Amino acid sequence: MSVSDYQLIEAWKEVLTLSRLEAGQTVTILTGPTTHPQTLACALIATQAMGAVVNRLDLPPVNGEKAFSRDPLAYLGTTPLTGNLPAIAALKASHLVLDLMTLLFSPEQHEILKGGTKILLAVEPPEVLMRMVPSLADRARVLAAAQQISVAREMRVTSSAGTSLACPLGEFGPTAEYGFVDEPGRWDHWPSGFALTYPNDCAAHGTIVIDRGDILLPQKHYVSEPIVLTIEDGYATRIEGGVDASLLGDYMQTFMDREGYAVSHIGWGLQPRARWSTLGLYDREATIGMDARAFEGNFLFSLGPNNEGGGRRTTACHIDVPLRHCTVMLDDEIVVRNGRVTDTAVTTS
Ligand code: FE
């Protein structure tokens, strides 16, 4: 269902207020060929209504000829900012960047953040943004989970489907994604609602079973038969199963890069307004799948780079996989039991 411009402008104002936008500050709205026109138009009005000095920076796409998927998260590394010094300078000179284009996992993004600029990514369709307008409660919950991660030495994940994964922790800090940017140099994504970290380099080991109904991203596909990943020394060394396993394996081979098989971010979903089933209601190119990443109680693991978390691994390949019905332990504490978060009575499924 569509949403009205008025609704979306009000939602933007709420997110910008949570992000502590003040009159007189400079906002640059980053756009590209896939930017949603209503999201852009309403962001322009909301930022001006709040007294900001507003710019728009529209950049041409890159990597289309290399990527095998049209998903903006399917091919990482170089971005329209790579080697684009005037564009980088404009973003660094801004208090806030609204990224309606998708700048994830790029060194240029790190450089801009380091200077204190905040970046908020918002590329999901307007009705998804509206449904998941972030709140202070989201922030508190995600930060509490990140705090738990920060003191843990190991994350263990099990499931009745056969997952048994051990991830030593400590090398990389936690990341809290709660949907707004209230601190200088902060990056976040509206919508989101999860906490994550990265296993110590080359240390994750065990077995991950992607079971029926679990989701592959960027494939945006509900798996119909189990895929078994063998994880050794931090890498998926075997991908076994039926057609779904072959499809995943063939896609990953297109990158011709061993680093794409490394275990990347690991964490769990904490967003009660995100739903497992939503992805099935959308055309695949209409969403990047944030419902799938954020729904409450999923164990979200990924394969690919860890530079976003402070590591040295870069690769163009990145697969996100939300698993249902897992039990997640931080040291001896269960934080998700059989797909249900243990921190609160708030449950929606
Ligand atoms: Fe990811």
Side-chain angles (χ1 to χ4, degrees):
M1 303 280 280
S2 299
V3 298
S4 75
D5 288 352
Y6 173 74
Q7 287 176 298
L8 190 53
I9 291 165
E10 291 301 302
W12 265 118
K13 284 184 189 168
E14 202 168 327
V15 172
L16 294 168
T17 301
L18 287 166
S19 299
R20 299 180 180 168
L21 178 65
E22 293 170 14
Q25 290 190 333
T26 308
V27 178
T28 299
I29 303 177
L30 191 56
T31 62
T34 60
T35 294
H36 196 288
Q38 189 184 22
T39 305
L40 170 61
C42 293
L44 281 165
I45 293 170
T47 46
Q48 290 175 87
M50 291 179 68
V53 177
V54 186
N55 305 299
R56 175 179 167 187
L57 178 59
D58 189 66
L59 296 175
V62 294
N63 294 327
E65 80 288 2
K66 297 187 195 121
F68 282 79
S69 160
R70 291 171 59 85
D71 186 286
L73 300 177
Y75 195 97
L76 305 177
T78 54
T79 75
L81 286 185
T82 307
N84 189 343
L85 298 181
I88 294 168
L91 299 183
K92 281 171 101 168
S94 307
H95 291 96
L96 172 64
V97 173
L98 301 180
D99 177 4
L100 309 188
M101 181 193 82
T102 312
L103 253 193
L104 208 49
F105 288 91
S106 67
E108 295 79 17
Q109 176 167 284
H110 282 294
E111 188 185 331
I112 294 159
L113 293 169
K114 245 190 280 168
T117 299
K118 305 169 182 177
I119 302 180
L120 182 66
L121 176 65
V123 294
E124 285 288 38
E127 69 280 4
V128 177
L129 298 178
M130 291 291 313
R131 173 161 47 81
M132 289 192 272
V133 173
S135 68
L136 290 172
D138 291 342
R139 177 181 181 274
R141 191 180 192 197
V142 172
L143 285 179
Q147 173 61 27
Q148 287 178 293
I149 290 172
S150 71
V151 294
R153 308 322 301 170
E154 185 184 54
M155 185 186 292
R156 291 190 76 87
V157 186
T158 57
S159 75
S160 58
T163 292
S164 179
L165 179 71
C167 298
L169 303 180
E171 214 171 305
F172 307 105
T175 298
E177 293 192 21
Y178 48 78
F180 54 95
V181 283
D182 51 346
E183 303 288 343
R186 178 171 171 76
W187 177 93
D188 210 321
H189 189 175
W190 171 28
S192 52
F194 43 82
L196 59 87
T197 188
Y198 296 76
N200 294 350
D201 225 5
C202 303
H205 57 95
T207 302
I208 298 173
V209 178
I210 306 169
D211 201 9
R212 276 183 211 90
D214 293 334
I215 294 169
L216 296 177
L217 301 163
Q219 286 79 356
K220 295 164 190 151
H221 173 65
Y222 292 90
V223 167
S224 56
E225 52 191 337
I227 303 171
V228 181
L229 302 184
T230 301
I231 310 294
E232 296 174 298
D233 300 327
Y235 289 80
T237 51
R238 287 203 297 277
I239 301 174
E240 296 167 302
V243 172
D244 284 328
S246 299
L247 286 167
L248 175 62
D250 185 74
Y251 173 72
M252 293 185 74
Q253 278 174 23
T254 63
F255 293 87
M256 294 185 287
D257 185 358
R258 177 176 184 265
E259 300 305 329
Y261 296 83
V263 178
S264 177
H265 56 81
I266 49 172
W268 66 99
L270 291 160
Q271 177 52 270
R273 300 186 298 290
R275 299 296 300 199
W276 165 71
S277 58
T278 307
L279 192 68
L281 302 168
Y282 272 80
D283 290 340
R284 279 195 281 191
E285 293 187 9
T287 174
I288 60 166
M290 290 309 289
D291 272 277
R293 289 181 179 87
F295 74 85
E296 192 170 338
N298 87 76
F299 168 63
L300 178 64
F301 83 95
S302 66
L303 300 173
N306 67 0
N307 60 322
E308 197 86 334
R312 284 194 302 272
R313 178 178 307 107
T314 59
T315 173
C317 182
H318 185 59
I319 312 284
D320 278 341
V321 189
L323 301 181
R324 295 189 301 161
H325 309 312
C326 287
T327 292
V328 182
M329 294 182 73
L330 290 174
D331 297 332
D332 295 328
E333 187 174 359
I334 295 176
V335 292
V336 177
R337 181 183 285 111
N338 193 22
R340 289 189 180 255
V341 184
T342 59
D343 69 341
T344 173
V346 178
T347 51
T348 55
S349 56

